[in-house]
Each structure stands twice: as C-alpha cells, then as structure tokens.
Amino acid sequence: MINNRLLSIIRKEFIQIWRDPRTLVLVFAIPVMQLLLMGYSATTDIRNVPLAVFDQDRGSAARELLDAYRAADYFLIAYDVDSEDELRALVDSGDAKAGLIIPPDYSVLIKGEGSAQIAFVLDGSDPTVASTSLSAAQFIAQEHATKLMSNRLSRLGQPASVEMPLEVRTQVWYNPDMISAYFMVPGVIATILYTLTSILTATAVVRERERGTIEQLIVTPIRSWELMVGKMLPYVLLAVMNTLEVLALGSWLFNVPIRGELGLILLLSGLFLLSGLGIGLLASTIANTQQEAMLTVWMTLLPSIFLSGFLFPLQAMPKVLQLISYVIPLRYYLVIIRSLLIKGVGASALQDEILALALFGIGIMTLAAMRFRKRLD
Amino acid sequence: METLIEARNLRKTFGDNVAVDGLSLSVSEGEIFALVGPDGAGKTTAIRLLCGAMLADEGHVFLAGFDLHKQTEQAKAQIGYLPQRFSLYGELTVVENLRFFAEVRGLPGKDWLPRSQEILEFVGLEEFANRRADKLSGGMKQKLGLAAALVHRPQILLLDEPTVGVDAATRQAFWRLIISLLVQGVAVLISTPYMDEASRCSQVGFMYGGRLLVEGPPGEIVRRLEGRVVELVGGPRRLVESLARSDPQVEDVQMFGDRMHLRVIAGSSRRVINRLKASLQKEGVVIDRLKPVAPGLEDVFIELLEIVE
Ligand SMILES: Nc1ncnc2c1ncn2[C@@H]1O[C@H](COP(=O)(O)OP(=O)(O)O)[C@@H](O)[C@H]1O
Ligand SMILES: [Mg+2]
C-alpha cells in the first residue's frame, strides 16, 4: 500500500504545510479559538441574572424572601430601586434582565391568613435566559411559600413539616449538573474535524491547479489514487492531532469527561473524517481556485452546522429539516462523540450511527474518486 | 534513426474553439523540432496533448513507440516536460523539488542525491541547491524547471517557450544545454516566439489556428522566398517606407528594428532595387543599405499568414 511515490507526496505536502504559516495557524490556532469561543460564549447555563428589586415593604419578611433569591445563584440582586419607573428604566436599558416588585403590605398579608402577590417582570428578548429565569423565579418562590406554609401550620399547633401529597424526584443522568460545555465541546470537536479536513484537502488539491504545479505532476507516473491519498493523509494526521488537542483542552478548561475508550473515539473520528475528506476532494474537482474551493466547502458547512443538532436540538425542528438532517454526516458523528465522551457507551450502542457514517464516507469518497482526474481538462 | 515523438492527426476543441486542428508531426532521436506561431496558435495545447496533460478529441500520440493513450505509464516515463508556466513548488528548495520529482518518477533508493547534484551542475544551479524555488530569479527558475524535467534521464523533452522572459546570457546557456542533450540522442520539441532560435532547429513547424501551415528544415522553408527579399536601411523612415510601398513590384514591407524587408514579386529584385535607388535619391533619402538578402523564417511566416488570412 505505502510505496515510494506515496511517501514522496506525503513528505512534500508536509514541507509545504510546515512552510506555510497560514495553514499552521488555521490548523492549530483556530480549534483553540473555536473551543474557547464556543465553550465560554455559547453556554446556556444561566447564572447571575441581574435582578432589580423594588421592595415597598422593607420588613424582615421581605428580606427573608430576598435572601431566598440570593441563595440560589440564578439571580444577582444588582439594583435596589425606589419606584416602578426606575425598575422599568433598568430593564429597558438591559442593565437588569428581571425585576421583582414586593407590595407595601407584604409582611402584613403573609402574617395572617391572607395571601400576598409579588410581581416578577422579565425581559423576554432572549428566550433562553427568560425561560430559565422564569422557572427559577417560580421555583424559588414556591419553595419559599412552602416554608411559610409550614411555619403557619406549626403556629397552629400542627406538625412543623408537612408532607406533600406528590413529589417528583428528578435525576439527571450523565451530566447531572447540566453543564452545557459537556454538550458544546464534543460539537466543537466534530465541527473542527469536518471543517479542517474538508477545507484543507480541497485547497491542497486546488492549489496544485491554481499554481500550475499540476502540470508537472501530470507527466509523472503518479497514479490518481496515490495523489488523492498522498494529499489526504497529512491532513488526516493533523485532524487526529486536533482531536486530541481539543479533547485535552476540553477536559482541562471545561472538565469535560472522556468516559469512552480513547481508541474507539479516534477510530470513529477517523470514520467520520472519510466524509470530510470526501467532501473536500469533491469540492476540489469542482473549484478552480482555492477561494472557490473554500466557498464550496462552506456551502456544505453551514447546513451541516445548523441541521446536525450541534447548536439547536433536532427534536425542535420542523419535520422537513429533520428529514434533511438524515443526509448530514455530522449529525451521526455528533451523536457518537457525545455518547462516547459523556455517556461512555461502547460501539454496540452506536451501531446505527456507525453504519450511517460508513455508508456516507464510502459513498462520498467513491464519488470524489470517480471525478478526480489527474489531467488539466 | 528512431522516431521518438509522433503525433497523428491530433485535434482538440474547447467548446467552439478549435485549438489544435489535425496536427501531425514526428521528431527523431537527436532532432529538435521548433513550434512557432503567434499567441493563441495552439502551441501550448499541442504540447499538452503530446505529454498527456490533456486528452485529445481525436488522433494518436506515440512516445518512443508507446501509445500514450493505451500504454500511458510507459509512454509518460519517457517524457521530460517544461510547461510554459513555472510549475515547481515555491515552498520547496531547489534540491527538495528535484528529490520529489526524482522519487515520483521512480529513481531507485538514494539515487536522487547524486543525480540531483549531477543535474544541478549541468544546469549551473549547484550554488542554489538550498534556496527556496520561489526565491529564484526568472532565469534560474527556468533552469530548475529544466533540471526537474531531466532528472529521470528522459529520451523525450517537451519545452514550452522556455526562453521567454529570460536574459540573453541564460538563453545562450539554455541552448548550449539543449544541444548537449541532442548529442546524447534526446528528441526535443520546443515552442518559441524567437525566429533566431527556430532557425537553429532541425525542423520547424509554423502553427496558426491550430494547424501547421508549413513544416520542414529551416533551410528548406526559407527557400520558398529565395531571391524575393530585399533589405533596405535608410531614413527618414516614414518616407522610405511609403516610397517602398508604392513600388508596383513590392508585395509587402516589414520593419525589423531599423531594417526594412521588402518582399518583391519573383524575379523582380534587380528592377525594384534600381527603381527604388532612383526614387529615393530623388527625394533626398540617405540609403545605408539596399540589396537582396537571404530570406528569413519570419519573411516566410508573414507571407504564409497573408495567404491564409
Ligand atoms: N484550458 C483551455 N480552455 C479553453 N480554451 C483554451 C484552453 N487552453 C487554450 N485555449 C484556447 O486555445 C487556443 C490555443 O491556445 P494555446 O494552445 O495556449 O496557444 P499558444 O500556446 O500558441 O499561445 C486559444 O484560442 C486559447 O484561448
Ligand atoms: Mg503558449
């Protein structure tokens, strides 16, 4: 399989990569940047939502309520205001994302048999923040109400703690703290693998045409498959290094677990690479310049990212988009890499995805190989 | 003498554009064939068909007896090709380029090293062995291209305008190299816009519109206009030219620097010279030269172009 011609092509390709600073930056810096950006910014963990409080009661009961809000770190009581207008201005300007209004007779109402109403206003412009804040706000108030209720009952001589007739005991598996980095980092690995291999393979092949070096290659006895494989192998190697790089960073910076076997992770990543390489090769048979090649790859990249479940859950998409997602290799690899890292499952749990990836990889590769010509016309 | 390059009835179209139209030629060992012709004549396409960089629509190519279409690998193994455009790797050094092409062309084991040194000495680049190819001057790039084309000792050399954009000294050096290859029995096909280069070749083919308008040894080609070219040097230039053009037996006037070539109707050169001498002197023109000269390739090609157009 490995012959001298192939080795020469690989060596030549590595020298070119090594002496082209742009490729090196692309290969080693971009994954880190992407991981940091995605890991820190695209997080959906809601913490410390700035809250403006208009406490008209100012009694100890109101303070207890506020303490309950303070204790859960969903909210940060950032502003203590003296009028509703002031509160509105803070929410309008975005300085506060939520506002809590405690009525003047709060202490009185909850002391007796009555019921007090507190108002919680919420900036709904970011639905993710809003929905999380909303449930958190309700949850905290509910807890506090339960506490008040049992206090009331004990004052009436009833037992201090009340049994609720129904209680839900939730249990979150695999990612009990629901840290979104666990969800994002595998996604970043997947997109990096796909982007790098497809773009680099496409440009590496097209570069030969753009610079005219293909003309000298053509008259050599190099076979098409040797040229293809020789072009791809260096980038496979780089992609594997990138996988390890992102895995290491992910576990170091975001404590993402690596519960599956590393060998299996690399093996299945390699299987996924087939699709990226195939797309890259296919793009190189269409494009005439490196720019065209990049653009062609980008056109496949965008739907991949949006329809693979990387950023938005597939279950929430319209049926048509869900159907389209079946022909997106990234979709299957995302399932695989998330399961391997977070759940630590074995290959048998992922049979369908592995089969789909293999079919895609082989299909795209075959198509690309059929179109790949070692000729000018 | 063995025929090493043979093209039979090659044809290549790009859409409606016929780039090569029924081209046939043959070059034997130790021979050099020059393809000349204006830009767009089809020279580059013809050479690309000969080396298999492009596939001909029709026709056959035989290289050292191997059919390029059927015995592609054996046929290609015989070729050294220097494309019109620099086509080596700029990021690689001179010697890394040579190593790459030596290895992919199947030079065994460590042979690439002595062979690279030998070929670098041959083209005179040994001092630049470790310089990156994109840091070489135009002339040195061409020499490196030639070295890469020769690294596997091919029997056939295809050179597409190798001396364009190269200084005069390098051009001379290039020709000395080519001649020493011919002595070793290599068959060379070269395209060139320079007539002085073409006239040094064993065969010349004048290409136009994808076709060879004329083909043969330069000595035979120029015989076509034997006795029909008169050279005239004198001034003022404009006046001289218009007087020459007005002579009824002058078919065409061409300027070659400060020299003027008049193509006259066969057998009329004496009369034209006498007539012009009289009319030029009457206008007070200083005549530095006015005499019949041996026709050059350029004279012939211009005449042929006038016929086809
Ligand atoms: N790859 C190509 N695609 C389309 N047309 C081409 C291509 N290569 C050459 N041609 C056309 O073929 C004709 C011959 O070109 P070429 O062989 O480059 O001529 P020359 O080398 O004599 O200048 C020109 O009209 C040119 O535009
Ligand atoms: Mg040309």
Side-chain angles (χ1 to χ4, degrees), chain B residues 10-23 35 38-49 54 57 207-212:
Chain B
L10 290 180
R11 186 182 163 85
K12 177 76 184 177
T13 52
F14 298 107
D16 293 338
N17 183 1
V18 186
V20 172
D21 188 6
L23 177 82
L35 268 184
D39 268 351
K43 305 180 295 293
T44 295
T45 309
I47 292 175
R48 284 174 169 170
L49 295 178
M54 282 181 173
D57 303 340
M207 208 171 176
Y208 183 76
R211 258 180 277 187
L212 281 184

Side-chain angles (χ1 to χ4, degrees), chain B residues 202-251:
Chain B
S202 28
Q203 301 275 326
V204 176
F206 182 62
M207 208 171 176
Y208 183 76
R211 258 180 277 187
L212 281 184
L213 294 184
V214 67
E215 181 201 346
E220 264 171 43
I221 289 180
V222 297
R223 208 164 295 152
R224 199 184 151 84
L225 289 183
E226 196 71 68
R228 290 180 57 194
V229 179
V230 171
E231 191 169 270
L232 169 57
V233 180
R237 187 93 62 81
R238 287 199 173 282
L239 179 63
V240 177
E241 191 184 340
S242 74
L243 284 171
R245 278 195 196 282
S246 62
D247 190 286
Q249 285 179 307
V250 171
E251 281 182 357

Side-chain angles (χ1 to χ4, degrees), chain A residues 5 8-9 11-12 15-16 19 208 210-213 215-219 221-222 375-377, chain B residues 12 48 51 53-55 73 76 81 83 85-89 91 96 99-101 103-105:
Chain A
R5 283 196 295 258
S8 306
I9 298 171
R11 180 182 321 107
K12 181 216 84 175
I15 297 178
Q16 285 184 296
R19 296 202 182 139
E208 302 264 2
E210 201 178 45
R211 298 202 190 155
T213 49
E215 254 193 284
Q216 194 59 262
L217 280 187
I218 284 168
V219 294
I222 295 174
R375 262 211 318 272
L376 286 178
D377 53 349
Chain B
K12 177 76 184 177
R48 284 174 169 170
C51 68
M54 282 181 173
L55 207 59
E73 297 306 322
K76 280 190 177 175
Y81 171 41
R85 187 177 158 198
F86 181 68
S87 61
L88 302 179
Y89 298 100
E91 304 94 334
E96 283 165 347
R99 177 180 188 181
F100 175 70
F101 285 103
E103 284 177 344
V104 297
R105 293 190 125 134

